[in-house]
Amino acid sequence: MKLGLLLCDDVMAPLQGQFGGYGDMFTRLLQQVVPDVVLNVYDVRRGEFPPNPDENLGYLISGSACGVNDDLPWLAQLEAFILLLARQQKKLVGICFGHQLLAKVLGGAVERSERGWGIGVSCNDLQAERPWMVPANAAIDLVACHQDQVSSLPLGVKVLAGSRFCPFYMVEFAGHLLGIQGHPEFPKAYVAALMEQRRDRIPACRIREGVASLNLEVSDLTVARWIMHFFRE
């Protein structure tokens, strides 16, 4: 199975030696559930896009330190490519920034959250079921690192999971587009390192809460299985 990763950022240089890049993280995660999956990486910040969308079964959009409302030339290109994939009904999964970008491109809105930083493990309840959610799970708990959130959804979107902190945590657009606010690909140790690197911008109390939350179990492999079932459905 071939999937394409639309790379919108990467691991900061001081952490790459320990954790690798985003492509490495996604590959390690997905190969734990589908060992023969091949991930083709396209750095969209540099104008890299597949010449033919059909060269991959589906696509993932990575997270990013940028915001979906930033005025960046490559963002316009990426938005156009997302609309192309949507018209062709290609399967597409957006993670964090990618989740927010899907909502924006399809007519929703993304804003800086009044609730502050989402950092550490975020706990969310399942609100709707889909056939690809195998194995079944009543909760979706993943590590997170974000300030922005989807504040309003496009018409016809189904909320699949959420919480009081993040009401639109996992959503399905038109049956072939999926958005997830959390990071199934991030190891807990990476999020701990991110918090240490960002002490200058994340309130100290939120970092203490985030570090403590890393003791919770996460649903990363369950969500990875869901993603692969979603692509194959």
Side-chain angles (χ1 to χ4, degrees):
M1 177 191 291
K2 289 184 179 180
L3 299 175
L5 174 63
L6 304 175
L7 188 68
C8 304
D9 202 354
D10 216 337
V11 174
M12 60 180 67
L15 302 180
Q16 286 209 11
Q18 181 178 357
F19 299 103
Y22 285 171
D24 301 309
M25 290 183 180
F26 275 106
T27 299
R28 285 194 294 265
L29 173 73
L30 298 178
Q31 286 185 347
Q32 288 184 75
V33 298
V34 179
D36 63 348
V37 68
V38 174
L39 197 63
N40 295 315
V41 180
Y42 307 91
D43 192 336
V44 298
R45 300 168 301 172
R46 299 175 181 171
E48 296 177 6
F49 290 88
N52 180 358
D54 290 334
E55 66 185 51
N56 298 288
L57 176 66
Y59 292 86
L60 297 127
I61 309 173
S62 80
S64 178
C66 301
V68 300
N69 298 313
D70 292 347
D71 184 16
L72 299 169
W74 61 266
L75 261 179
Q77 279 187 284
L78 179 55
E79 290 178 4
F81 187 68
I82 289 171
L83 288 173
L84 173 64
L85 295 178
R87 286 195 298 270
Q88 295 184 355
Q89 297 191 346
K90 294 287 289 185
K91 291 289 181 72
L92 179 61
V93 177
I95 302 297
C96 193
F97 170 89
H99 159 68
Q100 296 167 9
L101 189 60
L102 280 177
K104 180 196 172 191
V105 168
L106 297 174
V110 176
E111 299 175 359
R112 184 63 49 89
S113 174
E114 295 179 351
R115 302 175 184 89
W117 277 87
I119 191 75
V121 176
S122 62
C123 300
N124 302 269
D125 294 325
L126 197 68
Q127 298 178 7
E129 296 181 357
R130 288 292 184 267
W132 42 264
M133 291 180 179
V134 179
N137 208 31
I140 304 172
D141 302 339
L142 297 172
V143 293
C145 183
H146 64 100
Q147 286 182 284
D148 293 350
Q149 290 195 32
V150 176
S151 54
S152 66
L153 292 171
L155 294 175
V157 172
K158 182 67 175 178
V159 178
L160 302 181
S163 65
R164 183 177 298 178
F165 182 83
C166 185
F168 307 137
Y169 188 81
M170 182 166 75
V171 299
E172 186 181 52
F173 309 84
H176 58 278
L177 310 173
L178 179 66
I180 303 171
Q181 180 59 66
H183 285 277
E185 80 282 11
F186 280 4
K188 288 181 182 178
Y190 176 64
V191 177
L194 274 182
M195 286 189 274
E196 189 61 34
Q197 290 283 334
R198 294 177 176 173
R199 284 188 176 274
D200 61 333
R201 68 195 82 168
I202 303 176
C205 61
R206 185 54 59 91
I207 288 181
R208 291 197 299 274
E209 292 168 350
V211 170
S213 76
L214 295 178
N215 292 315
L216 298 171
E217 292 187 11
V218 291
S219 315
D220 52 354
L221 290 181
T222 294
V223 172
R225 291 186 175 92
W226 288 2
I227 289 172
M228 298 310 292
H229 292 323
F230 177 78
F231 280 125
R232 286 172 157 170
E233 187 184 55

